[in-house]
Amino acid sequence: MKRQADGRKLRGEKRRTEIIEATLRVIERDGVAGVTHRTVAAEAGVPTTSTTYHFATLDDLLVATLIDCARDMATEVYWMIDRARSHGRGRGADEIANLLAEALGPKRGRTMAEYELYLLAARKPELRPAARRWLDVLTSMVRHDDEVAFRVFLAGIDGLLVQGLIDDEPPTAEELRPVVDYLLNPR
């Protein structure tokens, strides 16, 4: 009997993840304004009742999507910083520049969707805790000696990503590297 309950729970978690991933695809394609239970259900290939079962309101869906993005972003940035520290100044800057170039090139749609969700929190206070979560998680995960320098580094990365999203052509890793190098080692 217990196995069946565990199987239902696993299927429910899988369905919930599929709905969140579909929400990000809708945002990539249509922006946050395109997110409805119906559009997300169609994107996920599930009945609308499934999206409303897992997420009663659109805000619930957007918060869950923000939290999922925050977790993924924090994990990615954590490992990026860890690799940068272990590879030394030059290789670390290269790795970070490559990651940013990928986020602004092949993963541009995903990056834009994440930032659109992130900025939506400026208009919807109920989304702010979820939007701040990535920074809170990352700050708790990464050991750093200088809180101000660490925040400047993260703000600089945010700035590079936003600027790269509005460029007609995404910047290359080679173009980003000197800025990343400076953020890692301000003069």
Side-chain angles (χ1 to χ4, degrees):
M1 190 64 108
K2 180 126 171 89
R3 269 191 168 166
Q4 191 176 23
D6 289 344
R8 282 192 307 255
K9 184 176 180 179
L10 288 174
R11 282 191 304 277
E13 283 302 312
K14 183 176 183 252
R15 175 64 51 94
R16 192 175 193 285
T17 299
E18 291 168 351
I19 292 168
I20 289 171
E21 290 170 0
T23 303
L24 276 171
R25 289 192 302 273
V26 169
I27 296 169
E28 280 184 46
R29 186 184 62 235
D30 304 325
V32 172
V35 175
T36 65
H37 281 289
R38 207 168 277 190
T39 59
V40 171
E43 182 67 32
V46 300
T48 304
T49 55
S50 186
T51 63
T52 57
Y53 173 79
H54 290 284
F55 306 100
T57 68
L58 285 180
D59 281 349
D60 292 342
L61 178 57
L62 293 172
V63 166
T65 305
L66 264 169
I67 288 171
D68 194 66
C69 288
R71 186 194 67 239
D72 291 351
M73 189 183 301
T75 301
E76 193 169 1
V77 173
Y78 170 80
W79 288 114
M80 174 183 67
I81 291 169
D82 185 64
R83 285 189 307 269
R85 285 183 175 162
S86 67
H87 291 137
R89 178 181 166 181
R91 287 194 55 209
D94 285 341
E95 242 182 268
I96 294 168
N98 286 334
L99 184 85
L100 293 171
E102 185 179 336
L104 295 168
K107 293 183 176 177
R108 184 182 188 92
R110 170 74 182 238
T111 303
M112 196 173 341
E114 289 174 353
Y115 270 95
E116 192 168 344
L117 274 169
Y118 185 63
L119 290 173
L120 181 64
R123 293 194 185 276
K124 293 184 153 230
E126 61 274 14
L127 299 179
R128 289 180 188 161
R132 285 190 298 260
R133 186 170 178 172
W134 87 271
L135 183 59
D136 296 340
V137 168
L138 189 60
T139 301
S140 71
M141 289 168 62
V142 176
R143 243 183 2 163
H144 51 279
D145 301 328
D146 184 344
E147 179 73 24
V148 172
F150 184 67
R151 286 194 167 271
V152 167
F153 171 78
L154 293 176
I157 295 297
D158 267 340
L160 288 172
L161 288 168
V162 170
Q163 289 173 5
L165 287 172
I166 62 171
D167 281 345
D168 291 331
E169 290 293 320
T172 65
E174 293 76 28
E175 293 167 332
L176 292 165
R177 192 194 187 285
V179 180
V180 171
D181 189 43
Y182 183 82
L183 288 172
L184 287 170
N185 303 287
R187 293 165 187 79

